[in-house]
Amino acid sequence: MIRRLRRFLAGFLSTALVVACATPAAAQLFETKAAEAFMIDAGTGTVLFSKDADKAIQPASLAKLMTMEMAFNAIKTGRLKLEDTFVVSEHAWRTGGAPSRASTMFAALKSSIPLEDLIKGVTVQAANDGCIIFAEGYAGSEENFAMQMNERARQIGLETSTFVNATGLPAPGQKTTVRELTLLALHLWRDYPDLYADYGLKDFTWNKISQRNRNPLLAMDIGADGLAVGASEEDGFGIVGSAVQNGKRVIAAMSGLASDRERAEEARKLIEWGLRSFEKTEIFAMGEVVGEAQVFGGVKSGVSLKAKGPVDIFLPIVNRDKLTARIVYDGPLPAPVEEGQRVGSLRVWIGDTLSQETPLYAAETVEVGTLPGRALDALKELAVGWLR
């Protein structure tokens, strides 16, 4: 059940924040040529932009983000060390190395490469051979490695992404979404800050061959420090990018672009817009009542709701009339309601994008009411409950 917020916010927010039960406006504050796009504020996870974010797409080379998660996690948990070496098999050399004429670090057949350099080969050069060398050395084969990738993906919250190989090279059944690519990038930045830094390297040299980082955002003056690009015949050109300015970081993923030039330009515009177009604002202080939920059969007809802490939102600097908020819960709530009981949530939309959702809890206890009171509530529910 959706209930109207009980009061407008104080000060300038009283006109900036539209609080209503109506469906959020079907409009975006930003337009992009990308078929799919998703962007968050990294510090809070707040969604700043979403367009077909859950549509299944081919990950292409962006699958290497998951391969690197496997490597980073193995290092963090102590299963591997940066100085551990991996042998270049003929399969890795032919499929991902110089003979493949694709992204490669030019690893020499039957040579041994330290994990630290394999990681740089993948993060900087998008090296297919680097991915296969690591996968085979870690799991015995690419097939076994892909199974472990999918298991690990579920563990870190990627519910639909499916990986068939370590490189993202075309394979039936391989899929992801821009939402999950963004969440994967957020995970890499949060959990492995030291290893994540390799995504920001401008170039890397292996086997006496120097290559510049394939991420076009790094050459732009926007504070970018990652992450990867990819392209598939089915879903066009894609990118996962991250940038930070003045302590604020955004992470975005895009797919379905027509060329590498369009990919670079659209990613730059989206990320710059995300960095410049929002300001963090506290709308409810710690312990402040956010609204009220209806109670059935209690000594009171309603219960006050509050969050666990202060409630912050990211306000658009312009177009603030596009922001709406609603309290959402299943109700009326049957008595008794215990103080601290999870009741519902405060949902905030920016245009037609659900930007953030804050859990709400009962601020007080509402005991079971008298028998006549409960009977009256039952009659009211019988009379009007069907309208909800």
Side-chain angles (χ1 to χ4, degrees):
M1 176 181 178
I2 300 175
R3 304 293 296 176
R4 186 183 300 269
L5 286 176
R6 296 298 186 183
R7 65 181 180 82
F8 287 102
L9 302 176
F12 75 92
L13 283 176
S14 64
T15 58
L17 181 57
V18 180
V19 184
C21 293
T23 301
Q28 290 279 14
L29 302 185
F30 182 85
E31 297 294 331
T32 178
K33 295 177 183 177
E36 301 86 24
F38 190 71
M39 181 171 62
I40 61 172
D41 170 79
T44 63
T46 300
V47 178
L48 304 180
F49 184 82
S50 181
K51 179 182 179 183
D52 284 340
D54 299 309
K55 178 184 174 184
I57 60 171
Q58 291 290 314
S61 197
L62 297 174
K64 292 165 184 161
L65 294 174
M66 191 65 218
T67 299
M68 288 297 91
E69 199 287 331
M70 297 286 287
F72 292 177
N73 183 253
I75 294 167
K76 183 177 181 178
T77 56
R79 295 195 301 275
L80 292 175
K81 300 185 294 295
L82 286 170
E83 56 266 28
D84 289 340
T85 59
F86 292 75
V87 176
V88 182
S89 70
E90 183 167 348
H91 170 66
W93 179 71
R94 290 193 180 278
T95 306
S100 71
R101 299 183 181 275
S103 301
T104 177
M105 63 186 293
F106 296 99
L109 178 62
K110 297 183 180 180
S111 65
S112 294
I113 302 178
L115 178 55
E116 181 176 13
D117 293 312
L118 286 177
I119 289 173
K120 288 181 171 63
V122 176
T123 56
V124 177
Q125 302 169 348
N128 288 324
D129 48 357
C131 289
I132 299 172
I133 293 162
F134 172 69
E136 290 180 334
Y138 183 81
S141 70
E142 265 202 280
E143 292 78 12
N144 288 341
F145 185 76
M147 292 174 61
Q148 294 182 32
M149 288 174 76
N150 292 324
E151 181 179 350
R152 178 63 181 161
R154 301 299 174 265
Q155 292 174 358
I156 62 174
L158 308 187
E159 298 178 355
T160 64
S161 294
T162 303
F163 303 97
V164 180
N165 55 47
T167 60
L169 289 170
Q174 195 143 251
K175 65 177 183 177
T176 188
T177 67
V178 291
R179 183 191 300 272
E180 293 197 350
L181 286 171
T182 304
L183 297 178
L184 174 55
L186 176 66
H187 168 74
L188 293 173
W189 170 70
R190 280 182 173 172
D191 284 42
Y192 316 109
D194 293 340
L195 294 164
Y196 171 88
D198 280 351
Y199 282 108
L201 295 176
K202 296 298 177 65
D203 54 59
F204 177 62
T205 300
W206 184 256
N207 202 15
K208 299 182 180 179
I209 300 172
S210 182
Q211 299 181 68
R212 292 193 62 78
N213 197 308
R214 292 175 178 268
N215 182 358
L217 297 176
L218 298 183
M220 303 175 186
D221 188 23
I222 61 172
D225 58 8
L227 285 121
V229 295
S232 71
E233 186 174 335
E234 182 176 344
D235 292 300
F237 290 77
I239 188 169
V240 177
S242 181
V244 59
Q245 292 181 15
N246 301 318
K248 178 181 179 181
R249 176 180 294 275
V250 298
I251 299 175
M254 309 177 83
S255 181
L257 292 153
S259 66
D260 53 359
R261 174 178 286 187
E262 184 175 86
R263 170 177 62 194
E265 182 62 13
E266 290 297 302
R268 180 193 64 78
K269 289 192 295 186
L270 178 63
I271 286 174
E272 285 195 312
W273 175 78
L275 287 167
R276 296 173 178 175
S277 300
F278 296 87
E279 59 183 0
K280 189 175 181 180
T281 304
E282 182 182 278
I283 58 172
F284 294 102
M286 171 80 76
E288 187 176 359
V289 172
V290 174
E292 186 178 89
Q294 186 179 351
V295 176
F296 173 85
V299 294
K300 296 175 59 178
S301 62
V303 60
S304 297
L305 306 178
K306 63 181 181 181
K308 288 292 188 183
V311 178
D312 299 323
I313 64 172
F314 279 80
L315 279 173
I317 294 174
V318 296
N319 295 317
R320 288 184 171 178
D321 60 323
K322 301 296 184 182
L323 194 136
T324 57
R326 294 186 291 183
I327 292 177
V328 181
Y329 67 98
D330 292 327
L333 305 171
V337 178
E338 299 294 332
E339 182 179 357
Q341 176 182 327
R342 171 74 184 269
V343 169
S345 62
L346 173 66
R347 295 180 184 174
V348 178
W349 282 264
I350 301 173
D352 62 356
T353 296
L354 178 58
S355 178
Q356 61 193 91
E357 185 168 359
T358 304
L360 296 179
Y361 303 84
E364 57 189 325
T365 295
V366 178
E367 302 288 355
V368 174
T370 63
L371 182 59
R374 298 200 304 273
L376 181 59
D377 281 354
L379 289 174
K380 290 179 181 178
E381 184 66 16
L382 183 64
V384 302
W386 64 274
L387 294 173
R388 283 191 287 270

